[in-house]
Amino acid sequence: MKAITSLLAVSLTAGVIATPTNNNCCTRSAKEIQWNPCGDELGINATTPLFCGSLTVPLDYTEPESEETLDLQVMKIPASREPSKGSVFFNFGGPGGSGIVEMAVLGEVLRALVGGSYDIINIVPRGTGNTLPFSCYETNEERSASAARAPFATNASNTALGSVWAESQNRADACLHSQNTTGSLIGTAFTARDIMCAVDVLEDDGMLRFWGMSYGSLLGSTLVSMFPDRVDRVLLDAVMNGHQYYRDDLDQATDADSAFSGFCAQCVDNKDSCLIAGDRTAAELEEDIYTALETLKYNPIPLSAGGIGILLDYATLKGQIYNSLYNPITWPKLAQTLDILFSGNATSIIADFFQPAPPPAPDAEAILGIKCSDKLLRASTLEEVLPSVEARWELSRIGGDIVDVSVLQCARWRMPAKEQYAGDFQVKTAHPVLLVSTQNDPNTPLVSARNMSAGFEGSVVLEQAGYGHTILSQASLCTVKITSAYFENGTLPEPGTVCEVDAVPFSGDPGWVSVLTQLSSVDVEA
Ligand SMILES: *[C@@H]1O[C@H](CO)[C@@H](O)[C@H](O)[C@H]1NC(C)=O
Ligand SMILES: *[C@@H]1O[C@H](CO)[C@@H](O)[C@H](O)[C@H]1NC(C)=O
Ligand SMILES: *[C@@H]1O[C@H](CO)[C@@H](O)[C@H](O)[C@H]1NC(C)=O
Ligand SMILES: *[C@@H]1O[C@H](CO)[C@@H](O)[C@H](O)[C@H]1NC(C)=O
Ligand SMILES: *[C@@H]1O[C@H](CO)[C@@H](O)[C@H](O)[C@H]1NC(C)=O
Ligand SMILES: *[C@@H]1O[C@H](CO)[C@@H](O)[C@H](O)[C@H]1NC(C)=O
């Protein structure tokens, strides 16, 4: 408790803009969207037909007199049953993800989860894709020269925390310098208004149907709180604590250690595909990995290939473990990587560490641009943020020092969004909200879903057993039945409902092919 109280002493940023009284969208935006097929253009084998278009919205909602507009990229997966009953707006999270590739690759699964009667629409968020792309460096050389001077883990050594803190200042300066004209026109409140613009343009009943994952759940919570009367169906998936997102992200890694214990337990239960298990118990394996990570802190492993060398260090490997917990299909691969800690033999993984880096995306810093400009807390000294660092380390041994990094980066941000949501997430919505989180999610713990649900009258939290981040990470026929019934009929599950998953542990298969097959055979019977 001490940590939390002292954090609140950190000053609130001045100048939170009052919420504009109406959306001012219809007067300034185009009245329709021209849809063109775009699956082929993306160079991805889309699993469903895909259409792209553009939506004109006001550039700056805080300037109601201005005529300036912005063209947003929009994408659509048409409903599987004609005629479509309307749209479900979808956000893939990040923040900073454009969702373009996911719309193509995951179309079938998305359709199953919303039930098939609605078009699924991705309004590519400001700051991402080609709409006000947020990038702090002109070239990759500039980026690597200025960034990544600090390790991506605050407990990587006894000097790491200070380096992360110092580097945050440089990064905030670089972003302010390169984004000084449009950098404050991105962020969640404006994106929420953009989505309501799309509702005005596309939905005959003027009502919002929305599904947001991870950061998308925060966007959804913000939408619900800003426009409660317009909520028809809102599914919040991998739910973030909104109070904390706008401040210090304190509880994020609450369930990360149980997720890591799950990895170790499944490894030991599947020794044939997880050679690091050896004769260990799950608890021994877990402790041995932590011990090896401590050794790695001061003894990084040199890896070299073709005359180029890198150091495999604590921050790299711990970051890889934490990221892997989002997605259980990566666990067999993670086990293979971790073998280096015990055997020292890098033969089977060395190629992974020498992949040529992909060219930087034009929106490379969108995640910081959105998240940091949203935040209401800033700090000017390391002492001010120490209590929250200690609280995160206390909460999670595997993820506490990893999630610290972006919180510290945001603490020194100097470019607040022109509109920041500063409300309390207490609303009565026109139709109740459905929330769902998995029981062992490294980044959005169940406690956050319960916290948000407490503010949304009549809402229900569905728990998905198993692992991973979002309901896409492991297939569950039970979850599909509940979410599709919610979108189709508005029905909510009984409070306390827990859905089992249909993914086979440690198989590298999320189980979707089998669940989609079961669903289509149900359709045939009916
Ligand atoms: C798309 O599918 C075709 C046929 O299955 C295949 O030949 C092609 O390589 C795929 N393209 C991509 C980008 O995956
Ligand atoms: C604003 O950004 C531009 C483009 O990067 C830069 O040339 C200019 O110096 C910046 N201005 C300030 C005040 O940082
Ligand atoms: C290292 O691993 C590779 C394959 O993973 C194996 O072929 C090789 O024999 C191992 N080297 C040693 C020294 O154990
Ligand atoms: C931080 O590092 C210390 C010393 O290496 C270690 O004992 C502790 O468990 C670490 N805590 C976290 C959260 O990484
Ligand atoms: C939700 O979380 C916030 C921030 O941690 C806390 O202040 C609030 O009391 C919590 N609400 C409930 C109902 O748990
Ligand atoms: C919606 O309700 C109808 C009528 O009760 C039912 O037949 C249908 O299966 C429900 N849809 C879903 C997806 O549960």
PDB file of all heavy atoms in Angstrom, residues 153-158 257 290 293-295 297-298 314 318 389-390 392-402 404, ligand 4:
ATOM      1  N   ALA A 153      15.536  -4.270 -19.228  1.00  0.00           N
ATOM      2  CA  ALA A 153      15.131  -4.879 -17.959  1.00  0.00           C
ATOM      3  C   ALA A 153      15.793  -4.068 -16.859  1.00  0.00           C
ATOM      4  O   ALA A 153      17.009  -3.901 -16.867  1.00  0.00           O
ATOM      5  CB  ALA A 153      15.580  -6.337 -17.874  1.00  0.00           C
ATOM      6  N   THR A 154      14.999  -3.558 -15.936  1.00  0.00           N
ATOM      7  CA  THR A 154      15.574  -2.648 -14.935  1.00  0.00           C
ATOM      8  C   THR A 154      16.424  -3.360 -13.895  1.00  0.00           C
ATOM      9  O   THR A 154      17.176  -2.723 -13.172  1.00  0.00           O
ATOM     10  CB  THR A 154      14.458  -1.879 -14.200  1.00  0.00           C
ATOM     11  OG1 THR A 154      13.496  -2.819 -13.718  1.00  0.00           O
ATOM     12  CG2 THR A 154      13.787  -0.883 -15.116  1.00  0.00           C
ATOM     13  N   ASN A 155      16.305  -4.706 -13.802  1.00  0.00           N
ATOM     14  CA  ASN A 155      17.091  -5.451 -12.815  1.00  0.00           C
ATOM     15  C   ASN A 155      18.205  -6.248 -13.497  1.00  0.00           C
ATOM     16  O   ASN A 155      18.694  -7.232 -12.959  1.00  0.00           O
ATOM     17  CB  ASN A 155      16.148  -6.392 -12.030  1.00  0.00           C
ATOM     18  CG  ASN A 155      16.740  -6.873 -10.719  1.00  0.00           C
ATOM     19  OD1 ASN A 155      17.672  -6.269 -10.179  1.00  0.00           O
ATOM     20  ND2 ASN A 155      16.191  -7.967 -10.191  1.00  0.00           N
ATOM     21  N   ALA A 156      18.622  -5.798 -14.694  1.00  0.00           N
ATOM     22  CA  ALA A 156      19.619  -6.549 -15.444  1.00  0.00           C
ATOM     23  C   ALA A 156      21.011  -6.474 -14.814  1.00  0.00           C
ATOM     24  O   ALA A 156      21.881  -7.285 -15.120  1.00  0.00           O
ATOM     25  CB  ALA A 156      19.687  -6.049 -16.890  1.00  0.00           C
ATOM     26  N   SER A 157      21.218  -5.487 -13.962  1.00  0.00           N
ATOM     27  CA  SER A 157      22.490  -5.353 -13.237  1.00  0.00           C
ATOM     28  C   SER A 157      22.234  -4.283 -12.192  1.00  0.00           C
ATOM     29  O   SER A 157      21.146  -3.701 -12.170  1.00  0.00           O
ATOM     30  CB  SER A 157      23.609  -4.877 -14.171  1.00  0.00           C
ATOM     31  OG  SER A 157      23.362  -3.515 -14.522  1.00  0.00           O
ATOM     32  N   ASN A 158      23.237  -3.982 -11.371  1.00  0.00           N
ATOM     33  CA  ASN A 158      22.962  -2.934 -10.388  1.00  0.00           C
ATOM     34  C   ASN A 158      23.075  -1.520 -10.970  1.00  0.00           C
ATOM     35  O   ASN A 158      22.893  -0.547 -10.266  1.00  0.00           O
ATOM     36  CB  ASN A 158      23.808  -3.123  -9.112  1.00  0.00           C
ATOM     37  CG  ASN A 158      25.261  -3.350  -9.469  1.00  0.00           C
ATOM     38  OD1 ASN A 158      25.681  -3.051 -10.596  1.00  0.00           O
ATOM     39  ND2 ASN A 158      26.023  -3.883  -8.530  1.00  0.00           N
ATOM     40  N   ASP A 257       4.063 -14.649 -12.978  1.00  0.00           N
ATOM     41  CA  ASP A 257       4.795 -15.752 -12.344  1.00  0.00           C
ATOM     42  C   ASP A 257       3.999 -17.055 -12.418  1.00  0.00           C
ATOM     43  O   ASP A 257       4.585 -18.133 -12.618  1.00  0.00           O
ATOM     44  CB  ASP A 257       5.144 -15.407 -10.883  1.00  0.00           C
ATOM     45  CG  ASP A 257       6.239 -14.350 -10.802  1.00  0.00           C
ATOM     46  OD1 ASP A 257       6.696 -13.879 -11.866  1.00  0.00           O
ATOM     47  OD2 ASP A 257       6.644 -13.990  -9.675  1.00  0.00           O
ATOM     48  N   TYR A 290      15.810 -19.627 -12.887  1.00  0.00           N
ATOM     49  CA  TYR A 290      16.094 -18.352 -12.215  1.00  0.00           C
ATOM     50  C   TYR A 290      17.566 -18.254 -11.809  1.00  0.00           C
ATOM     51  O   TYR A 290      18.195 -17.205 -11.967  1.00  0.00           O
ATOM     52  CB  TYR A 290      15.211 -18.192 -10.970  1.00  0.00           C
ATOM     53  CG  TYR A 290      13.815 -17.665 -11.268  1.00  0.00           C
ATOM     54  CD1 TYR A 290      12.673 -18.390 -10.933  1.00  0.00           C
ATOM     55  CD2 TYR A 290      13.633 -16.414 -11.874  1.00  0.00           C
ATOM     56  CE1 TYR A 290      11.394 -17.902 -11.187  1.00  0.00           C
ATOM     57  CE2 TYR A 290      12.355 -15.919 -12.135  1.00  0.00           C
ATOM     58  CZ  TYR A 290      11.239 -16.659 -11.790  1.00  0.00           C
ATOM     59  OH  TYR A 290       9.993 -16.172 -12.046  1.00  0.00           O
ATOM     60  N   LEU A 293      19.587 -17.521 -14.804  1.00  0.00           N
ATOM     61  CA  LEU A 293      19.422 -16.132 -15.245  1.00  0.00           C
ATOM     62  C   LEU A 293      20.274 -15.191 -14.389  1.00  0.00           C
ATOM     63  O   LEU A 293      20.864 -14.233 -14.893  1.00  0.00           O
ATOM     64  CB  LEU A 293      17.947 -15.711 -15.169  1.00  0.00           C
ATOM     65  CG  LEU A 293      17.035 -16.204 -16.299  1.00  0.00           C
ATOM     66  CD1 LEU A 293      15.560 -15.922 -15.968  1.00  0.00           C
ATOM     67  CD2 LEU A 293      17.400 -15.561 -17.636  1.00  0.00           C
ATOM     68  N   GLU A 294      20.346 -15.464 -13.086  1.00  0.00           N
ATOM     69  CA  GLU A 294      21.205 -14.647 -12.215  1.00  0.00           C
ATOM     70  C   GLU A 294      22.664 -14.761 -12.648  1.00  0.00           C
ATOM     71  O   GLU A 294      23.397 -13.774 -12.678  1.00  0.00           O
ATOM     72  CB  GLU A 294      21.072 -15.088 -10.749  1.00  0.00           C
ATOM     73  CG  GLU A 294      19.818 -14.570 -10.047  1.00  0.00           C
ATOM     74  CD  GLU A 294      19.720 -13.045 -10.015  1.00  0.00           C
ATOM     75  OE1 GLU A 294      20.747 -12.373  -9.761  1.00  0.00           O
ATOM     76  OE2 GLU A 294      18.624 -12.523 -10.276  1.00  0.00           O
ATOM     77  N   THR A 295      23.109 -15.980 -12.982  1.00  0.00           N
ATOM     78  CA  THR A 295      24.485 -16.173 -13.455  1.00  0.00           C
ATOM     79  C   THR A 295      24.709 -15.397 -14.747  1.00  0.00           C
ATOM     80  O   THR A 295      25.743 -14.747 -14.938  1.00  0.00           O
ATOM     81  CB  THR A 295      24.756 -17.680 -13.683  1.00  0.00           C
ATOM     82  OG1 THR A 295      24.433 -18.368 -12.491  1.00  0.00           O
ATOM     83  CG2 THR A 295      26.200 -17.931 -14.073  1.00  0.00           C
ATOM     84  N   LYS A 297      23.392 -12.716 -15.709  1.00  0.00           N
ATOM     85  CA  LYS A 297      23.477 -11.265 -15.495  1.00  0.00           C
ATOM     86  C   LYS A 297      24.907 -10.760 -15.620  1.00  0.00           C
ATOM     87  O   LYS A 297      25.174  -9.743 -16.226  1.00  0.00           O
ATOM     88  CB  LYS A 297      22.997 -10.915 -14.074  1.00  0.00           C
ATOM     89  CG  LYS A 297      21.556 -10.563 -13.981  1.00  0.00           C
ATOM     90  CD  LYS A 297      21.233 -10.068 -12.572  1.00  0.00           C
ATOM     91  CE  LYS A 297      19.730  -9.918 -12.458  1.00  0.00           C
ATOM     92  NZ  LYS A 297      19.324  -9.575 -11.079  1.00  0.00           N
ATOM     93  N   TYR A 298      25.838 -11.480 -14.961  1.00  0.00           N
ATOM     94  CA  TYR A 298      27.216 -11.003 -14.955  1.00  0.00           C
ATOM     95  C   TYR A 298      28.128 -11.857 -15.834  1.00  0.00           C
ATOM     96  O   TYR A 298      29.332 -11.634 -15.890  1.00  0.00           O
ATOM     97  CB  TYR A 298      27.715 -10.900 -13.504  1.00  0.00           C
ATOM     98  CG  TYR A 298      26.908  -9.844 -12.750  1.00  0.00           C
ATOM     99  CD1 TYR A 298      25.830 -10.201 -11.955  1.00  0.00           C
ATOM    100  CD2 TYR A 298      27.195  -8.485 -12.917  1.00  0.00           C
ATOM    101  CE1 TYR A 298      25.063  -9.238 -11.316  1.00  0.00           C
ATOM    102  CE2 TYR A 298      26.435  -7.515 -12.288  1.00  0.00           C
ATOM    103  CZ  TYR A 298      25.365  -7.889 -11.493  1.00  0.00           C
ATOM    104  OH  TYR A 298      24.611  -6.926 -10.878  1.00  0.00           O
ATOM    105  N   TYR A 314      21.148 -11.329 -19.994  1.00  0.00           N
ATOM    106  CA  TYR A 314      19.982 -11.515 -19.133  1.00  0.00           C
ATOM    107  C   TYR A 314      18.745 -10.805 -19.689  1.00  0.00           C
ATOM    108  O   TYR A 314      17.673 -11.396 -19.772  1.00  0.00           O
ATOM    109  CB  TYR A 314      20.342 -10.968 -17.745  1.00  0.00           C
ATOM    110  CG  TYR A 314      19.186 -10.733 -16.808  1.00  0.00           C
ATOM    111  CD1 TYR A 314      18.784 -11.716 -15.908  1.00  0.00           C
ATOM    112  CD2 TYR A 314      18.525  -9.502 -16.788  1.00  0.00           C
ATOM    113  CE1 TYR A 314      17.734 -11.492 -15.025  1.00  0.00           C
ATOM    114  CE2 TYR A 314      17.480  -9.269 -15.909  1.00  0.00           C
ATOM    115  CZ  TYR A 314      17.085 -10.268 -15.031  1.00  0.00           C
ATOM    116  OH  TYR A 314      16.047 -10.028 -14.173  1.00  0.00           O
ATOM    117  N   LYS A 318      15.496 -12.872 -20.691  1.00  0.00           N
ATOM    118  CA  LYS A 318      14.336 -12.732 -19.812  1.00  0.00           C
ATOM    119  C   LYS A 318      13.169 -12.094 -20.581  1.00  0.00           C
ATOM    120  O   LYS A 318      12.007 -12.483 -20.418  1.00  0.00           O
ATOM    121  CB  LYS A 318      14.688 -11.893 -18.582  1.00  0.00           C
ATOM    122  CG  LYS A 318      13.771 -12.230 -17.419  1.00  0.00           C
ATOM    123  CD  LYS A 318      14.180 -11.521 -16.143  1.00  0.00           C
ATOM    124  CE  LYS A 318      13.279 -11.941 -14.991  1.00  0.00           C
ATOM    125  NZ  LYS A 318      13.138 -10.887 -13.990  1.00  0.00           N
ATOM    126  N   VAL A 389       8.508   0.925  -8.983  1.00  0.00           N
ATOM    127  CA  VAL A 389       9.443  -0.102  -9.467  1.00  0.00           C
ATOM    128  C   VAL A 389       9.504  -1.241  -8.439  1.00  0.00           C
ATOM    129  O   VAL A 389       9.369  -2.420  -8.779  1.00  0.00           O
ATOM    130  CB  VAL A 389      10.851   0.492  -9.700  1.00  0.00           C
ATOM    131  CG1 VAL A 389      11.884  -0.602  -9.933  1.00  0.00           C
ATOM    132  CG2 VAL A 389      10.830   1.473 -10.875  1.00  0.00           C
ATOM    133  N   GLU A 390       9.669  -0.864  -7.166  1.00  0.00           N
ATOM    134  CA  GLU A 390       9.735  -1.893  -6.117  1.00  0.00           C
ATOM    135  C   GLU A 390       8.453  -2.720  -6.074  1.00  0.00           C
ATOM    136  O   GLU A 390       8.487  -3.939  -5.925  1.00  0.00           O
ATOM    137  CB  GLU A 390       9.985  -1.248  -4.742  1.00  0.00           C
ATOM    138  CG  GLU A 390      11.443  -0.883  -4.546  1.00  0.00           C
ATOM    139  CD  GLU A 390      11.660   0.143  -3.442  1.00  0.00           C
ATOM    140  OE1 GLU A 390      10.711   0.393  -2.649  1.00  0.00           O
ATOM    141  OE2 GLU A 390      12.770   0.709  -3.378  1.00  0.00           O
ATOM    142  N   ARG A 392       6.419  -3.375  -8.536  1.00  0.00           N
ATOM    143  CA  ARG A 392       6.367  -4.299  -9.686  1.00  0.00           C
ATOM    144  C   ARG A 392       7.322  -5.484  -9.492  1.00  0.00           C
ATOM    145  O   ARG A 392       6.983  -6.607  -9.825  1.00  0.00           O
ATOM    146  CB  ARG A 392       6.666  -3.552 -10.988  1.00  0.00           C
ATOM    147  CG  ARG A 392       5.440  -2.863 -11.598  1.00  0.00           C
ATOM    148  CD  ARG A 392       5.739  -2.271 -12.960  1.00  0.00           C
ATOM    149  NE  ARG A 392       6.639  -1.145 -12.828  1.00  0.00           N
ATOM    150  CZ  ARG A 392       6.227   0.101 -12.585  1.00  0.00           C
ATOM    151  NH1 ARG A 392       4.951   0.377 -12.486  1.00  0.00           N
ATOM    152  NH2 ARG A 392       7.106   1.064 -12.437  1.00  0.00           N
ATOM    153  N   TRP A 393       8.514  -5.225  -8.925  1.00  0.00           N
ATOM    154  CA  TRP A 393       9.442  -6.336  -8.670  1.00  0.00           C
ATOM    155  C   TRP A 393       8.842  -7.303  -7.663  1.00  0.00           C
ATOM    156  O   TRP A 393       8.992  -8.516  -7.769  1.00  0.00           O
ATOM    157  CB  TRP A 393      10.776  -5.800  -8.131  1.00  0.00           C
ATOM    158  CG  TRP A 393      11.629  -5.104  -9.155  1.00  0.00           C
ATOM    159  CD1 TRP A 393      11.234  -4.659 -10.387  1.00  0.00           C
ATOM    160  CD2 TRP A 393      13.009  -4.760  -9.027  1.00  0.00           C
ATOM    161  NE1 TRP A 393      12.280  -4.056 -11.028  1.00  0.00           N
ATOM    162  CE2 TRP A 393      13.394  -4.098 -10.214  1.00  0.00           C
ATOM    163  CE3 TRP A 393      13.952  -4.938  -8.026  1.00  0.00           C
ATOM    164  CZ2 TRP A 393      14.689  -3.630 -10.422  1.00  0.00           C
ATOM    165  CZ3 TRP A 393      15.246  -4.467  -8.230  1.00  0.00           C
ATOM    166  CH2 TRP A 393      15.614  -3.816  -9.428  1.00  0.00           C
ATOM    167  N   GLU A 394       8.162  -6.734  -6.681  1.00  0.00           N
ATOM    168  CA  GLU A 394       7.533  -7.537  -5.633  1.00  0.00           C
ATOM    169  C   GLU A 394       6.433  -8.418  -6.230  1.00  0.00           C
ATOM    170  O   GLU A 394       6.279  -9.577  -5.871  1.00  0.00           O
ATOM    171  CB  GLU A 394       6.935  -6.571  -4.595  1.00  0.00           C
ATOM    172  CG  GLU A 394       6.440  -7.194  -3.320  1.00  0.00           C
ATOM    173  CD  GLU A 394       7.563  -7.852  -2.527  1.00  0.00           C
ATOM    174  OE1 GLU A 394       8.709  -7.282  -2.499  1.00  0.00           O
ATOM    175  OE2 GLU A 394       7.309  -8.922  -1.979  1.00  0.00           O
ATOM    176  N   LEU A 395       5.685  -7.868  -7.185  1.00  0.00           N
ATOM    177  CA  LEU A 395       4.558  -8.582  -7.790  1.00  0.00           C
ATOM    178  C   LEU A 395       5.011  -9.707  -8.695  1.00  0.00           C
ATOM    179  O   LEU A 395       4.353 -10.734  -8.792  1.00  0.00           O
ATOM    180  CB  LEU A 395       3.724  -7.628  -8.650  1.00  0.00           C
ATOM    181  CG  LEU A 395       2.478  -7.008  -8.056  1.00  0.00           C
ATOM    182  CD1 LEU A 395       1.824  -6.101  -9.092  1.00  0.00           C
ATOM    183  CD2 LEU A 395       1.504  -8.065  -7.586  1.00  0.00           C
ATOM    184  N   SER A 396       6.096  -9.515  -9.425  1.00  0.00           N
ATOM    185  CA  SER A 396       6.497 -10.540 -10.381  1.00  0.00           C
ATOM    186  C   SER A 396       8.003 -10.619 -10.554  1.00  0.00           C
ATOM    187  O   SER A 396       8.664  -9.641 -10.918  1.00  0.00           O
ATOM    188  CB  SER A 396       5.854 -10.289 -11.745  1.00  0.00           C
ATOM    189  OG  SER A 396       6.422 -11.167 -12.696  1.00  0.00           O
ATOM    190  N   ARG A 397       8.513 -11.833 -10.319  1.00  0.00           N
ATOM    191  CA  ARG A 397       9.944 -12.073 -10.465  1.00  0.00           C
ATOM    192  C   ARG A 397      10.298 -12.217 -11.948  1.00  0.00           C
ATOM    193  O   ARG A 397      11.369 -11.807 -12.383  1.00  0.00           O
ATOM    194  CB  ARG A 397      10.255 -13.362  -9.710  1.00  0.00           C
ATOM    195  CG  ARG A 397      11.700 -13.644  -9.486  1.00  0.00           C
ATOM    196  CD  ARG A 397      11.793 -14.895  -8.611  1.00  0.00           C
ATOM    197  NE  ARG A 397      13.164 -15.328  -8.446  1.00  0.00           N
ATOM    198  CZ  ARG A 397      13.509 -16.512  -7.933  1.00  0.00           C
ATOM    199  NH1 ARG A 397      12.564 -17.362  -7.536  1.00  0.00           N
ATOM    200  NH2 ARG A 397      14.778 -16.842  -7.819  1.00  0.00           N
ATOM    201  N   ILE A 398       9.378 -12.785 -12.748  1.00  0.00           N
ATOM    202  CA  ILE A 398       9.727 -13.021 -14.156  1.00  0.00           C
ATOM    203  C   ILE A 398       9.465 -11.777 -15.011  1.00  0.00           C
ATOM    204  O   ILE A 398      10.152 -11.535 -15.989  1.00  0.00           O
ATOM    205  CB  ILE A 398       8.988 -14.267 -14.737  1.00  0.00           C
ATOM    206  CG1 ILE A 398       9.729 -14.820 -15.953  1.00  0.00           C
ATOM    207  CG2 ILE A 398       7.543 -13.988 -15.100  1.00  0.00           C
ATOM    208  CD1 ILE A 398      11.047 -15.459 -15.648  1.00  0.00           C
ATOM    209  N   GLY A 399       8.468 -10.957 -14.619  1.00  0.00           N
ATOM    210  CA  GLY A 399       8.104  -9.854 -15.514  1.00  0.00           C
ATOM    211  C   GLY A 399       8.228  -8.462 -14.938  1.00  0.00           C
ATOM    212  O   GLY A 399       8.169  -7.475 -15.672  1.00  0.00           O
ATOM    213  N   GLY A 400       8.416  -8.352 -13.610  1.00  0.00           N
ATOM    214  CA  GLY A 400       8.402  -7.030 -12.978  1.00  0.00           C
ATOM    215  C   GLY A 400       9.410  -6.077 -13.599  1.00  0.00           C
ATOM    216  O   GLY A 400       9.086  -4.932 -13.938  1.00  0.00           O
ATOM    217  N   ASP A 401      10.638  -6.558 -13.788  1.00  0.00           N
ATOM    218  CA  ASP A 401      11.675  -5.645 -14.286  1.00  0.00           C
ATOM    219  C   ASP A 401      11.581  -5.429 -15.800  1.00  0.00           C
ATOM    220  O   ASP A 401      12.232  -4.539 -16.345  1.00  0.00           O
ATOM    221  CB  ASP A 401      13.082  -6.103 -13.860  1.00  0.00           C
ATOM    222  CG  ASP A 401      13.496  -7.451 -14.415  1.00  0.00           C
ATOM    223  OD1 ASP A 401      12.620  -8.269 -14.751  1.00  0.00           O
ATOM    224  OD2 ASP A 401      14.717  -7.700 -14.514  1.00  0.00           O
ATOM    225  N   ILE A 402      10.760  -6.245 -16.476  1.00  0.00           N
ATOM    226  CA  ILE A 402      10.555  -6.049 -17.917  1.00  0.00           C
ATOM    227  C   ILE A 402       9.476  -4.976 -18.141  1.00  0.00           C
ATOM    228  O   ILE A 402       9.665  -4.045 -18.926  1.00  0.00           O
ATOM    229  CB  ILE A 402      10.118  -7.378 -18.600  1.00  0.00           C
ATOM    230  CG1 ILE A 402      11.112  -8.509 -18.317  1.00  0.00           C
ATOM    231  CG2 ILE A 402       9.903  -7.172 -20.095  1.00  0.00           C
ATOM    232  CD1 ILE A 402      12.445  -8.394 -18.988  1.00  0.00           C
ATOM    233  N   ASP A 404       8.599  -2.677 -16.226  1.00  0.00           N
ATOM    234  CA  ASP A 404       9.085  -1.377 -15.764  1.00  0.00           C
ATOM    235  C   ASP A 404       9.458  -0.429 -16.898  1.00  0.00           C
ATOM    236  O   ASP A 404       9.247   0.778 -16.808  1.00  0.00           O
ATOM    237  CB  ASP A 404      10.405  -1.569 -15.000  1.00  0.00           C
ATOM    238  CG  ASP A 404      10.216  -1.834 -13.524  1.00  0.00           C
ATOM    239  OD1 ASP A 404       9.089  -1.641 -13.039  1.00  0.00           O
ATOM    240  OD2 ASP A 404      11.202  -2.235 -12.878  1.00  0.00           O
TER     241      ASP A 404
HETATM  242  C1  LIG B   4      16.566  -8.497  -8.874  1.00  0.00           C
HETATM  243  O1  LIG B   4      17.927  -8.883  -8.736  1.00  0.00           O
HETATM  244  C2  LIG B   4      18.259  -9.424  -7.460  1.00  0.00           C
HETATM  245  C3  LIG B   4      19.769  -9.597  -7.390  1.00  0.00           C
HETATM  246  O2  LIG B   4      20.301 -10.108  -8.565  1.00  0.00           O
HETATM  247  C4  LIG B   4      17.489 -10.709  -7.286  1.00  0.00           C
HETATM  248  O3  LIG B   4      17.770 -11.265  -6.011  1.00  0.00           O
HETATM  249  C5  LIG B   4      15.992 -10.419  -7.373  1.00  0.00           C
HETATM  250  O4  LIG B   4      15.249 -11.631  -7.315  1.00  0.00           O
HETATM  251  C6  LIG B   4      15.678  -9.723  -8.692  1.00  0.00           C
HETATM  252  N1  LIG B   4      14.262  -9.343  -8.725  1.00  0.00           N
HETATM  253  C7  LIG B   4      13.563  -9.296  -9.871  1.00  0.00           C
HETATM  254  C8  LIG B   4      12.116  -8.942  -9.757  1.00  0.00           C
HETATM  255  O5  LIG B   4      14.045  -9.501 -10.964  1.00  0.00           O
END
